Amino acid sequence: MESHAELEAQIDRWRGFVQRSQAISPADVVELEDHLREQISDRRATGLDDEEAFLVAIKRLGNLDAVSHEFAREHSDRLWKQLVLVPEGSDDAGTPPWRELAVVLALAVGAGLAVKAGLAWINGGEALMRNVGLLVFPFLAAYFMWKRRFSVAVTVTLFVPFAVLAVALNLYPFASGGSTGTLAALHALVVLWLLAGGAYVGGRWRSDRRRMDFVRFTGELAIYFTLLALGGAVLIALTLATLRIIGADFEPVLEDWILPFAVPGALVVAGWLVEAKQQVVENIAPVLTRVFTPLTVVMLLGLLPLLATAGGFVDIDRNLLILMDAILVLVLCLLLYSISARDSLAPPGLFDALQLVLVAGALGVDAVMLTAMITRIAEFGYSPNKIAALGLNVVLLVHLFGAAWLAVGFLRGRRLFTAVERWQTRYLPVYGAWAAVVVLLFPPLFGFA
């Protein structure tokens, strides 16, 4: 009886895993379970015990992701029906299918109300710029807290960094027009994003797999948010053109109500769409990385000799340094996105070698940028902006060098691809730590100027 109970418990866990794939309907889950039980019975008839029979039966059913994709291909009509906002059925027994949509819409409206209140109550554009992330990201984190069913202890633990950040950004006596206030506003977004990542991974930040899931989620979120923004822009443009013809002034309504609600609300809705549909449609990450990686390699290899021969490093334009840092961050995002989309078990290939060239080009550009920054600091002295940029480039240099070192080992067959994945995800908190230093320590160190 005890052995039978354990077998049923294993089947229950298997059933729960299969039900998370939205391409497989409840009826298909029942059919798969019937096949599984038949396989278990056949294996037990050959003398295997319950645990052995279960494991062999699972192997005979094949990879569940492959099964899910096979069902998706055969039942494409049903698959597209499951892409609607309110799906048929629910993962939780007795839960109305529209409840999650209602929660998401409520959080989206809440984010819009928070931004609207911030526009009305926060005096000064600089103060609003520092707080805009605090007005939006907690609502995105709240959705994941609700979705992951966070305990009170975990919720409080995640709330503390939000509160510390809010206190620092609003109680520090930033000088009007000073550098530290702008730096704090920019770097606060990085800290807030990683805090939202803590909510996304369900508090399991030590899990390499969950951190890589967050990397994948970040890329997909950017795509969904951009698509929502483009669609909204087209709709607004058509509305403005129509109302302008009939003599109605729509711009005050657009500026005062629609944009303050639409932009933050779109971020929350995009996060929900990625979370809800990631198992239904194929990730777009592999397609994008295959297209943009070679183009970025060409861009970096073209820029590197031009930068190296541009003249004295002291004379390099400050705006050029800022643009090159933005390019390096873009390269890093592309690298992370590429790794998140790759099959860990696949052998090294041409695209892996191309990614190594991408990292090597980024390292060369970063070395030029660091040399230029150190030269400028030695010539003109230090400032908050220069130190912040120098620190970012040092963090990028170490990250890219580690990625290149591990990639070479993987291409030579000396390391598994999982080592490359672990390095990428375990290094992510370093960016959050550096951003927190800039937000919390730079203002008092530089006199809040």
Side-chain angles (χ1 to χ4, degrees):
M1 292 295 294
E2 182 178 350
S3 174
H4 180 71
E6 177 62 26
L7 175 62
E8 290 298 322
Q10 288 180 319
I11 293 176
D12 286 341
R13 287 191 291 269
W14 170 87
R15 186 190 307 112
F17 175 79
V18 175
Q19 287 173 339
R20 290 200 295 271
S21 176
Q22 298 186 34
I24 301 180
S25 71
D28 296 327
V29 174
V30 173
E31 182 180 352
L32 283 173
E33 184 176 343
D34 288 340
H35 288 309
L36 176 66
R37 291 183 180 276
E38 290 175 3
Q39 290 288 339
I40 292 174
S41 297
D42 292 342
R43 303 287 76 74
R44 290 174 66 184
T46 63
L48 298 180
D49 60 27
D50 286 346
E51 183 176 1
E52 293 171 334
F54 175 77
L55 293 175
V56 173
I58 287 293
K59 294 291 289 183
R60 285 186 172 271
L61 278 182
N63 183 280
L64 286 178
D65 289 335
V67 173
S68 178
H69 283 88
E70 185 64 27
F71 271 105
R73 283 192 293 268
E74 292 185 4
H75 304 283
S76 58
D77 56 338
R78 185 176 64 209
L79 177 64
W80 284 107
K81 290 178 183 178
Q82 292 180 10
L83 287 174
V84 297
L85 293 181
V86 182
E88 298 177 3
S90 174
D91 288 340
D92 301 323
T95 301
W98 45 262
R99 191 175 82 169
E100 183 170 350
L101 176 61
V103 170
V104 170
L105 292 179
L107 290 172
V109 173
L113 289 172
V115 171
K116 181 65 178 175
L119 291 171
W121 298 341
I122 299 177
N123 296 323
E126 294 180 0
L128 181 62
M129 182 177 65
R130 291 194 299 270
N131 282 277
V132 67
L134 287 167
L135 298 174
V136 178
F137 279 101
F139 290 91
L140 181 63
Y143 165 65
F144 294 124
M145 292 179 188
W146 176 83
K147 184 73 174 178
R148 310 288 189 260
R149 295 182 173 90
F150 272 28
S151 65
V152 175
V154 177
T155 302
V156 171
T157 302
L158 195 62
F159 173 77
V160 170
F162 277 107
V164 171
L165 195 63
V167 170
L169 290 174
N170 289 281
L171 292 187
Y172 274 170
F174 292 103
S176 178
S179 298
T180 57
T182 302
L183 289 173
L186 294 174
H187 288 77
L189 296 176
V190 178
V191 179
L192 288 167
W193 184 244
L194 288 178
L195 290 177
Y200 179 84
V201 301
R204 294 182 292 161
W205 189 255
R206 294 183 179 180
S207 169
D208 295 328
R209 183 182 63 83
R210 293 298 292 158
R211 288 197 301 269
M212 187 54 76
D213 287 343
F214 177 60
V215 170
R216 190 178 298 111
F217 165 81
T218 301
E220 296 289 335
L221 176 69
I223 295 169
Y224 274 67
F225 182 76
T226 302
L227 291 176
L228 289 175
L230 290 174
V234 171
L235 184 63
I236 290 173
L238 292 173
T239 304
L240 280 173
T242 303
L243 293 178
R244 190 171 293 149
I245 292 175
I246 64 176
D249 187 7
F250 186 64
E251 291 187 9
V253 177
L254 174 65
E255 295 176 358
D256 295 338
W257 293 100
I258 294 180
L259 291 181
F261 280 87
V263 176
L267 181 66
V268 177
V269 171
W272 167 63
L273 288 174
V274 177
E275 173 73 9
K277 309 307 177 189
Q278 59 185 342
Q279 291 180 317
V280 179
V281 293
E282 190 70 40
N283 283 337
I284 199 171
V287 178
L288 292 180
T289 53
R290 297 280 175 172
V291 172
F292 285 102
T293 296
L295 296 177
T296 308
V297 168
V298 172
M299 178 188 68
L300 287 178
L301 295 181
L303 287 175
L304 189 56
L306 295 176
L307 291 172
T309 58
F313 288 118
V314 177
D315 299 326
I316 291 182
D317 188 81
R318 175 175 174 268
N319 292 327
L320 176 61
L321 296 177
I322 295 174
L323 285 174
M324 293 312 300
D325 277 342
I327 290 174
L328 288 176
V329 172
L330 176 63
V331 169
L332 178 64
C333 294
L334 182 62
L335 176 65
L336 289 170
Y337 204 23
S338 302
I339 291 173
S340 73
R342 190 189 187 282
D343 183 1
S344 300
L345 301 179
L350 177 62
F351 192 73
D352 297 297
L354 189 62
Q355 285 186 329
L356 179 59
V357 176
L358 174 69
V359 175
L363 277 170
V365 172
D366 198 8
V368 173
M369 293 298 100
L370 276 172
T371 304
M373 289 175 186
I374 293 173
T375 304
R376 289 172 67 89
I377 290 174
E379 181 73 18
F380 303 112
Y382 66 87
S383 68
N385 288 329
K386 292 174 184 174
I387 299 301
L390 180 65
L392 173 60
N393 278 268
V394 170
V395 172
L396 284 169
L397 182 71
V398 176
H399 190 173
L400 292 170
F401 182 80
W405 179 262
L406 293 171
V408 169
F410 172 64
L411 288 172
R412 298 181 66 181
R414 295 180 177 179
R415 291 186 181 89
L416 296 176
F417 186 74
T418 51
V420 182
E421 288 183 303
R422 282 196 299 268
W423 168 256
Q424 303 294 344
T425 61
R426 290 179 182 180
Y427 200 82
L428 284 179
V430 176
Y431 293 95
W434 175 246
V437 167
V438 174
V439 173
L440 300 177
L441 299 184
F442 269 40
L445 285 176
F446 292 97
F448 304 98

